[in-house]
Structure formats: C-alpha cells, structure tokens
C-alpha cells in the first residue's frame, strides 16, 4: 500500500516541479524586461486600487521572492521586495494579480468566500489525514483509511475552489493592465506567460491532490 502512495507522491513531485520551473523561468525572464509604462509594482497596485475605489487597501513590501499575496484580514496587498520596487513586466503582472484578489474581496466574489470558509477545515484536515492513513495501514483497518479519505476530500475541495479564485485574479489583472494603458501591446505576451505559469501551480496542486484522493479511495475498498 505504501508503494502505491510513494508512486503517487513521485508523480505529484514531478508535476509540482514542472509547475515551479515554469513559474521561476517565466518570472526570471520577464523580471529582466522593463515595463513600457515605467511604473513599479507598488505604483501599479496603488493606481489600480485607487481607480477601483479601494483607497483603504494598503500596499506594502514583504521579504522574499514570489512571496506576494493579498491579506483580506488587514486589507493589504503585500508585494515581494523586488516586485514592489521594480518596473519589470513580471513585477507589474504580479502586482495586478494580487490587486485582483483585493477586488474579489471587495466585490464579495463567491469562490473567494468559499475558500476562506474552507481554510480552517482544510488546515485541520491537512494535519489529520496522514496519521489516519498510517493508522489504517498499520492496523489494517478500513475505518481509519475511510476517515483519511473524508479528511483529504476537504484538502482537495480547497484546491478546487482555489482554481477559480486564482484564474479570475489573473484574468482581472490582464484586463485591468490593458484597460488602463499600463500594459503595451508588445508586453501582453509576457504578462500572459507570467500569469499562466502562476495559475498552473494551482492546477498542479489540485491534480496532485486528486491523484492522492483517488489512491485513498482505491485502497479503502480493498
């Protein structure tokens, strides 16, 4: 049984590695290409927020690379230090994506609300499912494995709900950048590549979780 799980893990690592490589290579390439507008990630984020009436949302730098995120609790867009200060295609693309999340929050975007509701459950389930799985294998008890299935189903649900949240934020980002004239026609391809690569990491996570759940379901019927 552990052999099957190991195989699932290997496949998951391969998928995740491909996604990570695509993100990093795309980001590296377009972080070296200056934006036609000359605006930094911070300026782009502030401009889009203000033009959408979100003057209450702060924009702050955060340490690290690709640590960019939106915090709905404090209403803050946090951009990694490089993206905050740089005026590259990658920087403005990431900044616009995170602002997309702020707009989702402000407009009550349903998948984002669903993800927030699932977060406490998935946080607990993530810690619970593997001990249940291990106990099921160790004791040869289908009950523990079935409980692991239930716990991991919440993990998969979280990843599935995350997909529309991230894809919609990227779609919003591209639309806003072009609509406000921040992105030139020649830069569109670079922005699409950065945003698509980022979205693929969430697709990879959902696919890996699906494979894991299918494996758990399979062995729960033995």
């Amino acid at each position: 049984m552990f052999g099957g799980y190991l195989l699932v893990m290997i496949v998951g690592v391969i998928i995740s590695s491909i996604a990570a490589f695509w993100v990093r290579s795309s980001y590296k390439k377009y972080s070296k290409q200056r934006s036609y507008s000359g605006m930094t990630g911070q300026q782009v984020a502030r401009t889009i927020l203000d033009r959408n009436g979100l003057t209450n949302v702060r924009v702050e730098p955060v340490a690290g690379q690709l640590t960019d995120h939106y915090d709905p609790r404090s209403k803050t867009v946090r951009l990694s230090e490089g993206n905050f200060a740089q005026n590259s295609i990658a920087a403005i693309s990431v900044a616009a994506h995170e602002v997309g999340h702020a707009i989702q929050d402000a407009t009550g975007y349903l998948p984002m609300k669903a993800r927030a509701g699932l977060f406490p459950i998935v946080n607990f389930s993530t810690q619970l499912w593997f001990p249940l799985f291990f106990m099921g294998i160790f004791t040869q008890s289908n009950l523990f494995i079935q409980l692991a299935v239930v716990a991991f189903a919440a993990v998969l649900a979280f990843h599935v709900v995350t997909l529309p949240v991230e894809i919609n934020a990227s779609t919003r980002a591209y639309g806003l950048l072009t609509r406000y004239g921040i992105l030139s026609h020649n830069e569109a391809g670079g922005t699409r590549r950065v945003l698509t690569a980022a979205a693929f990491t969430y697709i990879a996570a959902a696919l890996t979780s699906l494979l894991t759940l299918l494996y758990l379901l399979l062995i729960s019927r033995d």
Side-chain angles (χ1 to χ4, degrees):
M1 288 186 180
F2 271 114
Y5 178 66
L6 181 60
L7 179 60
V8 170
M9 288 297 295
I10 291 172
V11 172
V13 168
I14 292 172
I15 294 172
S16 299
S17 298
I18 292 171
F21 175 77
W22 188 11
V23 168
R24 293 192 177 279
S25 62
S26 299
Y27 179 81
K28 183 178 180 180
K29 178 179 179 179
Y30 292 102
S31 64
K32 295 176 181 178
Q33 296 186 22
R34 301 302 96 184
S35 167
Y36 172 81
S37 68
M39 298 173 71
T40 65
Q42 185 272 338
Q43 291 171 330
V44 166
R46 187 71 272 157
T47 296
I48 297 176
L49 286 168
D50 290 348
R51 291 187 68 168
N52 284 270
L54 300 179
T55 55
N56 62 312
V57 177
R58 300 193 304 274
V59 183
E60 299 176 351
V62 63
Q65 187 180 64
L66 296 177
T67 50
D68 314 79
H69 63 279
Y70 169 67
D71 184 352
R73 293 168 299 179
S74 62
K75 309 300 181 189
T76 305
V77 170
R78 296 195 175 95
L79 302 176
S80 56
E81 292 169 335
N83 289 336
F84 185 88
Q86 291 179 2
N87 62 347
S88 67
I89 293 175
I92 67 171
S93 300
V94 172
H97 174 89
E98 297 308 329
V99 170
H101 287 311
I103 295 173
Q104 288 174 341
D105 185 28
T107 57
Y109 185 59
L110 188 58
M112 190 178 198
K113 286 185 174 182
R115 185 173 71 169
L118 280 172
F119 185 77
I121 300 171
V122 76
N123 193 39
F124 177 70
S125 296
T126 300
Q127 301 176 47
L128 186 65
W129 81 267
F130 190 78
L132 288 170
F133 169 66
F134 181 81
M135 289 173 65
I137 299 298
F138 184 75
T139 63
Q140 297 294 301
S141 170
N142 261 7
L143 175 60
F144 284 119
I145 295 177
Q146 288 166 357
L147 290 172
V149 168
V150 173
F152 197 83
V155 177
L156 176 60
F158 181 81
H159 285 301
V160 170
V161 170
T162 295
L163 288 178
V165 175
E166 297 300 329
I167 292 172
N168 177 266
S170 289
T171 302
R172 287 175 189 264
Y174 184 80
L176 290 166
L177 288 171
T178 53
R179 190 184 316 150
Y180 296 159
I182 298 171
L183 188 68
S184 72
H185 177 73
N186 293 332
E187 295 171 319
T191 292
R192 275 198 299 265
R193 180 170 173 178
V194 170
L195 295 176
T196 302
F200 185 70
T201 61
Y202 297 98
I203 295 172
L207 181 57
T208 301
S209 295
L210 176 60
L211 290 173
T212 302
L213 182 62
L214 290 175
Y215 168 73
L216 292 174
L217 284 168
L218 182 64
I219 66 171
S220 71
R221 295 177 180 179
D222 291 342

